[in-house]
Amino acid sequence: MFKLRLIPAILLLLLLAGCKSDERILEKLGMVQTASYDLMDDKRLKVTYCVPVTDPTSKVRRELMTTVSDSLKSARLQFSLQTDLKVVSGQVRETLYGIKLAKEGLGDYIDTLLRDPSIALGVRVTVVEGDAGDLLSKTFKSHNDTGRYITHLLDKESYGNSVPATTLYEFSRDFNDDGIDPVAPIVKDGGDKVVIEGVAMFQEDRYVMRIPAEDGIIFALFRDDLRQGEAAINLGEKDGRPVVVMLSSLLNKRKIKVHQLAGGRFKVDIYASIQGSVLEYTGEEKINESKARHELEQKISEYITAKADKMVEQMQEHNVDSLGIGSYVRNGLNYKEWTSLNWKEVYPEIEVKCHTKVLIKDYGKYS
Amino acid sequence: MPEKLSPFHIAVLVYMTQSGIVIFTLPRSLADYFGTNGWLVLIPCLLLSSFNIYLITLVFQLGKGRSIFEIMEQSVTKVILYPFYLGLTAVWLVFGCMIGKKYVLLFQMLAFPTTNPMLFKLAIDVLAFMMLIKGIYKMSNAVTLFFWMTIWMFGLLLWFFPSFRWARFTPFILHGGHDQVKGAMEVYAAYLGYELSILLLPYVNKNKSKKSMAAIYAGNAFLSFVYICLSLICFGFFGPGQLKKLLYPVLDLLAYIQLPFIERLENLLYGFFLFLVLVTVVMYWWAAQLSIQRIVPKVKTPVLLVILLGISYCISFVPKTLDQVNVWITNLGYVVTGIAFVLPLLLIMILLIQRKGGASHV
């Protein structure tokens, strides 16, 4: 019996020697953290990888590699020729796409990334105004690693919902859903800083239009429920001075109601029910008086509604359904009706009305 | 007197045997073959498997807890039985072995892609061997431990709630699928494993026979509950369109879990699934061992196991790719499903004939 027990023990020991060919030594790995992709004029792909340098004695904090290749993965083979490290993509956090590439469609690239088992669904998808490789290669003052800088910037902003937190998961999910189109944040080189430019809206996988960053929160209010956010609302001017109210700690419940009209038309009502705290108000009304506060709530909701209506109009003009109205229309139909309906043709024609209800929860600690 | 299995151990054993490698592909199969709201198919599967378990409990009641081999050998000649036993052994042995191989090949997509898969397979086989030589009672103790070691992962489903939307389900019931018959067989294969409970009958504590039979249902029901929760999360998290494209949606779910200091947690989590797969493999091999032992009762169990596992290891060299392994598993799954229904039916027939023929044998 003793001998019988020994056999498995020896076998297990021998097995340990088996994985030599897949040995990974941390110091010899080039773990790509940010990757950027651009479309060249000859339709080839410019790929830039940013690998953090972990050696504490080294002066540089990152290693940049750029190549022009025919595909995402063949670029990695070319990078291997440029560096003493083994290039691996298991720690990629961010992928940047040049605007030109985004206009052509990201579907194929997202497909390649999702196929790779070493790449997780949580990798960010970001569009860059101009050339993504140039932005990633540039070093910004007080930020050693531009890739990480962009990731942190977007992480922080998407937490406040002013830009969508788009990862491979969200992008591919919305791309494969027939009732919604994907969105992604868009950034640009702002000289000495990276600046968030707005929200890029896609028709299926092709970038079509954008909304400016300051309207990002309004878009978010009508896209989903929110648990966090801040909005600065401009209520016009008083004596040549802008009247601004700052709504913080936003909570939002969104609802979409679809009405089917005669002749196969649709009318859609989108409701946003917003709660928030006022932390700044430059107008003259006394907001600690409930009447004035209610008026203010009314003004805020009118402002948001007007903005949202205009935004939806633009989206309909460009035929992008970034709010996911399609999925609610679909859910009100039976299968045959939905499959025989060409949503892309119907969408620009439907009547959409946004409704906003604002509740000021509190107004700070000063009257 | 040999030690008996408690009802709780039986329930855990049934659940752990059933849950295995199919869990990785199940949500996709549901979406791909049955389209929108494909998760609903799990409910008829639960009913059908419960009916099958009912047949098994009938065997227990009619046979008064005797082993199925004793029942058969009482009325059927060995000339017919031995080839039948040999067939059962072959199917159960190779089925278990292919499940193990599939786990290894999937694992290699995540880690150690160029290492020879048969090395990992050997490691799993050695583990399985060490469990098998201990006998069913100790195995069931180990399985219960494995159960507690893996069941916490169920709580990970909470992670996906923030991105879960009912709107993604669509109101359409089973639209946009294809090859539903093949799909139904594939989905039903996810339930396989409960049929081995027929071999547990002699180990049931006769004082708790009702509870023990209920335990088989409970194990199966718990598995269905896990499957339904997982599929609901997948449909609400990915949507049917995306699910169709993901080959291993559960791997993607695991990969979505991210902590600030560690990326690619799925490598760690995938390891825990080894326990589920190991139990499935071990139970099928245990079944194979029991039936071959009726032919060669004199060979010592460890020796017999070495021979059996040796043969199965050699067979597992044959399919090289994931697709080939899938073909083996699908085809063997058909046979195992057939056995699951036919074996209790046959036994019930034999038992009824034995009853009619007089109570002299009983």
Side-chain angles (χ1 to χ4, degrees):
Chain A
M1 203 58 209
F2 177 72
K3 271 184 195 163
L4 256 180
R5 279 190 195 168
L6 210 61
I7 295 171
I10 293 171
L11 268 176
L12 281 176
L13 263 178
L14 285 174
L15 283 175
L16 290 176
C19 305
K20 180 70 185 160
S21 64
D22 282 316
E23 189 182 65
R24 300 268 188 281
I25 294 168
L26 209 55
E27 285 76 15
K28 292 184 181 170
L29 290 183
M31 286 186 279
V32 183
Q33 209 160 50
T34 314
S36 77
Y37 311 106
D38 288 287
L39 194 67
M40 308 294 286
D41 290 331
D42 57 358
K43 298 283 171 198
R44 294 185 83 203
L45 205 59
K46 185 178 90 171
V47 183
T48 307
Y49 274 7
C50 171
V51 179
V53 174
T54 45
D55 182 3
T57 56
S58 168
K59 271 186 188 157
V60 289
R61 293 287 300 278
R62 61 170 183 164
E63 184 175 347
L64 276 168
M65 293 177 263
T66 300
T67 187
V68 175
S69 77
D70 295 326
S71 81
L72 247 64
K73 290 288 165 196
S74 58
R76 204 174 68 177
L77 296 179
Q78 292 173 27
F79 287 138
S80 244
L81 307 175
Q82 299 178 16
T83 173
D84 57 337
L85 300 171
K86 183 174 170 55
V87 181
V88 291
S89 39
Q91 293 293 326
V92 174
R93 305 266 168 145
E94 179 91 54
T95 51
L96 305 170
Y97 304 86
I99 195 109
K100 217 165 143 192
L101 185 73
K103 280 179 181 162
E104 290 276 315
L106 300 182
D108 290 346
Y109 309 102
I110 300 281
D111 183 297
T112 306
L113 292 173
L114 285 176
R115 194 176 296 279
D116 185 346
S118 70
I119 291 179
L121 283 174
V123 174
R124 281 186 168 283
V125 174
T126 305
V127 176
V128 175
E129 171 77 73
D131 190 295
D134 289 352
L135 179 70
L136 185 58
S137 310
K138 189 170 167 181
T139 306
F140 292 87
K141 243 191 262 167
S142 70
H143 295 285
N144 289 320
D145 185 339
T146 309
R148 196 177 295 183
Y149 168 36
I150 297 172
T151 309
H152 288 175
L153 173 70
L154 288 168
D155 263 345
K156 176 194 57 109
E157 280 306 298
S158 60
Y159 179 73
N161 289 308
S162 63
V163 289
T166 304
T167 61
L168 284 178
Y169 157 66
E170 275 99 2
F171 194 93
S172 61
R173 179 197 68 198
D174 293 345
F175 173 46
N176 286 316
D177 194 323
D178 52 4
I180 190 167
D181 283 322
V183 291
I186 175 163
V187 296
K188 71 167 186 186
D189 180 358
D192 57 348
K193 282 185 182 62
V194 176
V195 181
I196 297 180
E197 175 79 351
V199 181
M201 298 184 168
F202 291 76
Q203 189 188 65
E204 291 183 351
D205 65 333
R206 279 177 304 108
Y207 163 79
V208 177
M209 65 167 278
R210 78 175 74 172
I211 54 163
E214 53 270 25
D215 290 348
I217 185 73
I218 310 252
F219 170 70
L221 288 170
F222 286 86
R223 194 174 205 247
D224 211 342
D225 295 349
L226 297 190
R227 314 275 314 148
Q228 186 62 260
E230 272 188 322
I233 297 181
N234 192 329
L235 297 174
E237 281 186 13
K238 184 105 185 183
D239 307 329
R241 215 162 55 97
V243 177
V244 176
V245 57
M246 182 79 181
L247 217 49
S248 295
S249 313
L250 289 178
L251 284 176
N252 172 50
K253 271 247 167 262
R254 183 206 66 165
K255 258 190 196 153
I256 295 188
K257 280 192 183 153
V258 179
H259 311 275
Q260 221 172 330
L261 307 177
R265 288 181 310 116
F266 296 94
K267 179 174 180 289
V268 178
D269 289 304
I270 312 180
Y271 300 88
S273 169
I274 307 160
Q275 272 190 34
S277 315
V278 170
L279 288 190
E280 183 184 47
Y281 173 61
T282 60
E284 294 193 336
E285 311 292 336
K286 289 271 178 214
I287 52 172
N288 51 355
E289 286 168 15
S290 76
K291 187 166 172 265
R293 206 164 54 243
H294 290 317
E295 272 171 20
L296 186 63
E297 286 173 346
Q298 190 58 35
K299 277 185 194 162
I300 296 173
S301 63
E302 276 165 18
Y303 171 88
I304 293 178
T305 308
K307 278 257 179 191
D309 278 336
K310 201 173 153 218
M311 199 183 295
V312 172
E313 205 175 289
Q314 281 177 344
M315 284 185 229
Q316 282 185 296
E317 262 170 39
H318 288 92
N319 205 354
V320 291
D321 182 10
S322 311
L323 294 177
I325 297 172
S327 58
Y328 287 84
V329 170
R330 176 188 68 199
N331 293 355
L333 299 175
N334 65 38
Y335 186 68
K336 215 175 151 197
E337 285 169 339
W338 172 251
T339 42
S340 59
L341 182 85
N342 189 341
W343 177 240
K344 280 275 159 274
E345 273 178 20
V346 176
Y347 173 68
E349 307 300 327
I350 61 167
E351 194 184 322
V352 183
K353 186 82 195 78
C354 299
H355 308 265
T356 319
K357 204 178 121 198
V358 176
L359 180 72
I360 297 175
K361 220 167 44 179
D362 56 69
Y363 40 92
K365 58 181 177 67
Y366 195 68
S367 70
Chain B
M1 188 187 142
E3 285 173 289
K4 299 285 186 186
L5 297 173
S6 76
F8 177 71
H9 282 153
I10 293 178
V12 168
L13 208 52
V14 169
Y15 159 75
M16 292 292 281
T17 312
Q18 288 179 291
S19 60
I21 199 81
V22 200
I23 212 162
F24 289 102
T25 48
L26 182 69
R28 176 209 150 78
S29 307
L30 291 168
D32 190 29
Y33 290 117
F34 300 100
T36 49
N37 285 308
W39 61 275
L40 284 169
V41 177
L42 292 171
I43 295 165
C45 285
L46 165 67
L47 296 178
L48 193 62
S49 54
S50 297
F51 170 70
N52 202 168
I53 293 171
Y54 170 68
L55 295 179
I56 292 169
T57 57
L58 273 185
V59 173
F60 179 75
Q61 281 162 12
L62 291 170
K64 300 209 164 47
R66 280 185 300 158
S67 113
I68 60 160
F69 301 109
E70 279 175 32
I71 297 169
M72 286 193 279
E73 282 160 20
Q74 190 184 328
S75 303
V76 186
T77 158
K78 286 184 176 167
V79 182
I80 301 175
L81 276 185
Y82 279 7
F84 181 61
Y85 287 168
L86 216 57
L88 284 183
T89 308
V91 171
W92 282 336
L93 185 72
V94 181
F95 192 56
C97 139
M98 287 305 148
I99 290 168
K101 175 108 189 204
K102 184 166 175 183
Y103 177 83
V104 169
L105 288 179
L106 267 183
F107 170 69
Q108 289 202 297
M109 276 182 22
L110 298 175
F112 304 109
T114 62
T115 305
N116 189 343
M118 292 317 284
L119 274 173
F120 293 111
K121 179 76 176 57
L122 187 60
I124 291 181
D125 287 10
V126 170
L127 273 176
F129 173 76
M130 295 205 279
M131 271 182 85
L132 280 164
I133 50 171
K134 294 291 179 193
I136 185 69
Y137 182 74
K138 286 211 172 132
M139 264 160 61
S140 92
N141 284 343
V143 169
T144 311
L145 180 72
F146 291 167
F147 172 74
W148 293 118
M149 283 166 75
T150 50
I151 195 62
W152 63 270
M153 283 205 292
F154 190 57
L156 290 177
L157 290 181
L158 291 175
W159 189 276
F160 308 102
F161 266 48
S163 301
F164 179 92
R165 293 288 176 277
W166 287 104
R168 273 179 214 125
F169 277 75
T170 77
F172 316 135
I173 306 290
L174 309 185
H175 279 292
H178 64 96
D179 296 316
Q180 266 100 354
V181 178
K182 186 172 176 260
M185 291 297 278
E186 216 174 292
V187 170
Y188 192 74
Y191 280 81
L192 289 177
Y194 66 85
E195 78 278 11
L196 297 183
S197 61
I198 203 168
L199 298 168
L200 296 175
L201 299 184
Y203 303 93
V204 167
N205 189 338
K206 291 215 177 65
N207 300 326
K208 292 183 186 166
S209 57
K210 262 201 175 159
K211 274 191 180 169
S212 301
M213 292 304 111
I216 306 178
Y217 286 110
N220 188 41
F222 183 66
L223 177 90
S224 309
F225 174 70
V226 170
Y227 278 174
I228 290 172
C229 289
L230 176 72
S231 307
L232 280 177
I233 290 285
C234 279
F235 274 84
F237 182 75
F238 291 119
Q242 167 87 327
L243 259 186
K244 280 184 186 192
K245 298 232 169 146
L246 300 171
L247 287 179
Y248 308 100
V250 174
L251 280 185
D252 284 310
L253 279 187
L254 293 178
Y256 187 72
I257 298 172
Q258 244 182 38
L259 299 175
F261 50 91
I262 187 165
E263 181 98 332
R264 301 193 56 206
L265 207 59
E266 76 268 25
N267 288 311
L268 276 173
L269 295 173
Y270 188 73
F272 282 96
F273 283 92
L274 173 65
F275 295 116
L276 298 181
V277 174
L278 186 67
V279 175
T280 311
V281 173
V282 162
M283 285 304 287
Y284 274 102
W285 284 352
W286 175 72
Q289 172 214 328
L290 282 193
S291 52
I292 198 78
Q293 251 169 349
R294 303 307 287 198
I295 305 177
V296 285
K298 285 196 180 137
V299 182
K300 276 187 183 162
T301 308
V303 179
L304 189 68
L305 281 172
V306 168
I307 297 170
L308 276 184
L309 267 55
I311 295 170
S312 101
Y313 189 71
C314 292
I315 296 172
S316 61
F317 270 101
V318 179
K320 296 261 188 286
T321 66
L322 253 175
D323 273 347
Q324 286 167 351
V325 174
N326 284 338
V327 171
W328 279 68
I329 291 184
T330 312
N331 291 332
L332 284 165
Y334 294 153
V335 185
V336 174
T337 313
I339 294 172
F341 281 96
V342 172
L343 190 62
L345 281 175
L346 268 178
L347 286 161
I348 291 171
M349 265 167 53
I350 293 173
L351 283 164
L352 288 176
I353 293 169
Q354 285 176 358
R355 249 196 186 179
K356 261 193 175 173
S360 59
H361 296 299
V362 185

